């Protein structure tokens, strides 16, 4: 049965265009307005940070609980589902030098308590998936923290959450750098190593973002294949990236169509999506877009993905096998490029 793909994105993917060197260039859509775009653009899943759901992740729980219930209602009314909750552990004044791997015991305690609340929020929102993007879990300079202790702290954090809720799953979204100079757990493989050390490895998996793999000098489809073999690819952040520079979050496939094709191919081949996994996008509209045209990157990424699904399905698989067997990779090169050119 061909997979009927479902798509998701996070509210931060519709944004005002601010970057580290300049202020917003268009007014922000209100959250309620953003929600209306999901169905219009062909999306069913909403990805959330904890503080996308609640207005203040440090507010008393009773208030967070009420706000989360209200958000769940808004999603239900629109036929949308929450895909995951990611505790935003990288913006708080306490977490300037990291949250889980901070040298300060007080900060680490804050990180764990906030993450437990994120689990509680996830439960209200109807999802069991918690995403960890360990944004500041690394260093600006090697000597700043103890790297061995830091790795252990990540395992302890996961164990505490896995024991806090016996059904929750943790999905690591690894990225080698930015905002830090070096992250402690830069790739999927590193993270899966840590997963195996936790109290329940079966509930620890990954979300792979194309751009993050590229920033690590890796091919995203191979990264996905690695996680798929482990049966641990539970979400993706498809996007594109033009070489080793800042995390560009370009629309899927706009830089390297063949690289995008290979990601779709590996997902399709492995039956990704058949257990309800979403095709998540983590894409940013170019700063030059007007407010009115600032959702086209979502529309385009989805359309490019679906077109590539068609191309994957119409590829002459027998021919590919024949050329592999003959080791005629020049001919295989041409077959793929011609298929993409159409
Ligand atoms: C940044 C990450 C970030 C995460 C998001 C959800 O580079 O890709 O956007 O995906 O915070 O964890
Ligand atoms: Mg991402």
């Amino acid at each position: 049965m061909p997979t009927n793909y479902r798509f998701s994105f996070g509210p931060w993917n519709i944004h005002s265009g601010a970057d580290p060197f300049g202020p917003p260039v268009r007014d922000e859509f209100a959250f309620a307005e953003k929600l209306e775009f999901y169905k219009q653009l062909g999306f069913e899943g909403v990805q959330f940070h904890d503080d996308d759901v609640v207005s203040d992740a440090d507010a008393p729980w009773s208030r967070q609980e009420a706000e989360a219930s209200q958000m769940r209602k808004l999603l239900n009314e629109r036929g949308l589902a929450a895909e995951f909750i990611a505790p935003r552990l990288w913006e708080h004044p306490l977490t300037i030098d990291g949250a889980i791997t901070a040298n300060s015991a007080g900060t680490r305690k804050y990180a764990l308590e906030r993450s437990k609340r994120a689990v509680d929020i996830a439960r209200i929102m109807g999802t069991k998936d918690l995403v960890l993007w360990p944004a500041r879990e690394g260093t600006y300079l090697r000597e700043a923290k103890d790297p061995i202790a830091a790795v252990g702290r990540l395992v302890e954090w996961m164990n505490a959450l896995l024991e806090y809720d016996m059904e929750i799953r943790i999905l690591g979204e690894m990225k080698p750098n930015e905002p830090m100079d070096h992250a402690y757990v830069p790739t999927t493989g590193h993270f899966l190593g840590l997963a195996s050390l936790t109290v329940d490895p079966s509930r620890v998996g990954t979300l792979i973002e194309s751009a993050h793999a590229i920033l690590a000098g890796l091919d995203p489809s191979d990264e996905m294949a690695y996680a798929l073999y482990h049966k641990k690819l539970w979400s993706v952040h498809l996007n594109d990236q033009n070489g080793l520079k800042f995390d560009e979050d370009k629309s899927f496939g706009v830089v390297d169509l063949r690289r995008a094709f290979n990601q779709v191919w590996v997902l399709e081949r492995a039956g990704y999506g058949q257990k309800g996994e979403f095709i998540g996008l983590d894409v940013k509209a170019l700063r030059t877009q007007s407010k009115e045209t600032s959702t086209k990157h979502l529309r385009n990424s989805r359309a490019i993905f679906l077109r590539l699904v068609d191309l994957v399905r119409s590829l002459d698989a027998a021919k590919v096998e024949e050329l592999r067997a003959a080791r005629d990779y020049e001919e295989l090169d041409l077959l793929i490029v011609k298929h993409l050119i159409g």
Side-chain angles (χ1 to χ4, degrees), residues 173 209 212 237 282:
E173 178 186 351
E209 172 162 330
H212 295 182
H237 269 173
D282 199 359

Side-chain angles (χ1 to χ4, degrees), residues 6-297:
R6 300 194 298 165
F7 296 85
S8 63
F9 68 87
W12 64 91
N13 292 119
I14 301 177
H15 64 104
S16 60
D19 71 14
F21 302 98
V25 288
R26 45 187 182 251
D27 290 339
E28 189 77 54
F29 282 102
F31 183 81
E33 293 176 302
K34 291 185 183 181
L35 223 43
E36 300 308 326
F37 282 118
Y38 279 81
K39 277 288 167 85
Q40 281 173 32
L41 294 165
F43 291 76
E44 287 170 58
V46 186
Q47 311 179 335
F48 286 102
H49 296 111
D50 50 358
D51 57 6
D52 293 323
V53 177
V54 302
S55 54
D56 177 3
D58 296 327
W61 173 244
S62 57
R63 192 171 122 196
Q64 294 192 48
E65 193 176 24
E67 288 180 347
S69 303
Q70 178 57 25
M71 184 65 82
R72 174 79 190 268
K73 194 163 163 279
L74 290 178
L75 293 196
N76 288 350
E77 285 166 2
R78 286 160 183 76
L80 298 170
E83 183 189 358
F84 65 68
I85 306 296
R88 202 194 299 264
L89 297 175
W90 54 90
E91 284 188 1
H92 195 276
L94 277 174
T95 62
I96 284 173
D97 195 20
I100 301 166
T101 64
N103 288 329
S104 152
T107 292
R108 297 199 302 272
K109 186 160 180 283
Y110 169 78
L112 181 57
E113 287 312 309
R114 180 160 172 177
S115 305
K116 286 181 179 170
R117 292 296 80 72
V119 169
D120 298 337
I121 290 171
R123 300 299 252 159
I124 295 174
M125 296 299 290
T127 175
K128 292 176 182 164
D129 286 354
L130 196 77
V131 165
L132 169 67
W133 171 45
R136 296 191 195 276
E137 312 312 335
T139 53
Y140 299 112
L141 54 152
R142 299 286 75 69
E143 302 82 4
K145 295 178 191 169
D146 176 339
I148 301 177
V151 172
R153 283 175 178 148
L154 283 156
V155 177
E156 282 163 26
W157 177 87
M158 289 196 271
N159 283 344
L161 293 177
L162 292 168
E163 280 168 352
Y164 175 68
D165 184 314
M166 299 310 285
E167 289 182 327
I168 205 85
R169 304 194 304 177
I170 299 173
L171 285 67
E173 178 186 351
M174 297 303 121
K175 178 178 177 182
N177 60 283
E178 197 200 38
M180 305 307 275
D181 180 41
H182 276 291
Y184 282 131
V185 187
T187 68
T188 299
H190 286 86
F191 185 73
L192 290 183
L194 286 193
S196 71
L197 299 179
T198 64
V199 290
D200 190 354
S202 73
R203 289 191 286 136
V204 185
T206 62
L207 175 161
I208 294 184
E209 172 162 330
S210 323
H212 295 182
I214 297 163
L215 285 169
L218 302 170
D219 181 82
S221 69
D222 280 353
E223 281 286 89
M224 289 172 189
Y226 185 81
L228 286 164
Y229 185 78
H230 287 78
K231 303 211 179 327
K232 285 189 178 297
L233 186 63
W234 298 343
S235 187
V236 289
H237 269 173
L238 299 186
N239 56 17
D240 214 348
Q241 170 75 24
N242 194 11
L244 299 181
K245 48 186 75 161
F246 65 96
D247 184 2
E248 298 185 299
D249 291 337
K250 285 184 169 232
S251 295
F252 182 57
V254 298
V255 177
D256 187 334
L257 204 50
R258 187 169 177 180
R259 188 168 59 194
F261 171 78
N262 280 305
Q263 290 168 70
V264 178
W265 194 8
V266 84
L267 293 172
E268 169 86 3
R269 208 165 16 188
Y272 179 90
Q274 295 194 354
K275 289 196 194 118
E277 303 94 336
F278 281 95
I279 295 296
L281 300 172
D282 199 359
V283 287
K284 290 207 176 69
L286 299 174
R287 194 164 189 265
T288 39
Q289 291 299 105
S290 66
K291 181 177 180 180
E292 295 67 39
T293 61
S294 67
T295 58
K296 290 190 173 176
H297 60 309

Side-chain angles (χ1 to χ4, degrees), residues 319 323 328-338:
K319 187 76 191 165
L323 294 172
D328 190 352
Y329 297 149
E330 293 293 353
E331 200 61 38
L332 182 56
D333 238 359
L334 187 67
L335 179 84
I336 300 295
V337 172
K338 269 183 153 175

